[in-house]
Amino acid sequence: MTYTTDRITQSTNVLDVVSTVQATINTLSTDEQLGLFWVIYENLGGAITPAAPGAAREQFTQGLLTKVKALSYEEQLQFMRDLVNRINNPLTRSYGVFTNNNKLAFWYQLAEGMTTGEIVPVPDDYKLSNAGLSVFSQITRLEFGQQITLLRKFVVGMGVDPLA
């Protein structure tokens, strides 16, 4: 399920562009956001690899990742939904203390686990809705730095920060 669009260089303020796309993502349902994140991983994962895990200390995410892998597929999916919806529970609080880069790395690790079957996989026949495709198209038009900023902003807003 590869999607392609032409990349255009943005000359506007990075934060304005990222905020606009982020606002559009937030209009999607929880499952559509998760599906979009999967499609982003499938299409941009190779580029995200050095930006996420390379900048993070993955040993800090391993404890939570191990707990999530031990859950059933239904519980794993519920955990991801809880992250998106900011439901307060022990696992979302564990995620909430991660640094921004560790949160991005954690989602990358989840996606990697989805490809190996350790984490609930996306159904083979999954297709983004028209709204999801529209958002994905906006994301692919962003410059690489803007894409990483958007992804980081997306994952930073998830979970529950127990220190806040």
Side-chain angles (χ1 to χ4, degrees):
M1 139 182 40
T2 301
Y3 300 93
T4 60
T5 62
D6 293 327
R7 181 178 308 258
I8 56 176
T9 301
Q10 303 289 338
S11 60
T12 56
N13 182 315
V14 170
L15 292 178
D16 289 343
V17 171
V18 168
S19 293
T20 300
V21 177
Q22 178 66 39
T24 306
I25 290 171
N26 290 339
T27 66
L28 300 174
S29 71
T30 300
D31 286 345
E32 190 72 15
Q33 288 181 43
L34 291 172
L36 174 65
F37 211 64
W38 171 252
V39 170
I40 291 169
Y41 165 78
E42 271 199 321
N43 288 269
L44 306 175
I48 295 168
T49 305
R57 302 207 189 279
E58 290 183 33
Q59 68 267 25
F60 295 133
T61 62
Q62 288 304 309
L64 180 57
L65 187 64
T66 299
K67 288 177 184 176
V68 172
K69 286 179 179 179
L71 299 173
S72 70
Y73 277 176
E74 286 126 21
E75 292 168 323
Q76 290 172 351
L77 180 57
Q78 188 59 52
F79 164 71
M80 288 185 262
R81 288 173 173 154
D82 289 350
L83 284 177
V84 171
N85 292 318
R86 297 167 189 85
I87 302 297
N88 190 346
N89 62 47
L91 294 178
T92 60
R93 286 191 303 273
S94 293
Y95 174 88
V97 298
F98 291 161
T99 66
N100 295 354
N101 283 336
N102 284 341
K103 288 178 180 180
L104 189 58
F106 181 77
W107 275 98
Y108 180 82
Q109 292 168 318
L110 284 178
E112 287 284 293
M114 292 167 83
T115 63
T116 64
E118 294 175 285
I119 302 294
V120 59
V122 174
D124 290 334
D125 61 349
Y126 177 78
K127 299 223 184 290
L128 281 174
S129 69
N130 287 337
L133 283 171
S134 176
V135 174
F136 181 73
S137 177
Q138 291 174 41
I139 293 168
T140 60
R141 288 188 184 109
L142 297 174
E143 295 173 357
F144 177 73
Q146 292 171 321
Q147 290 173 345
I148 295 300
T149 299
L150 174 69
L151 293 174
R152 194 172 282 119
K153 189 173 178 174
F154 184 53
V155 301
V156 165
M158 294 180 185
V160 175
D161 184 349
L163 305 175

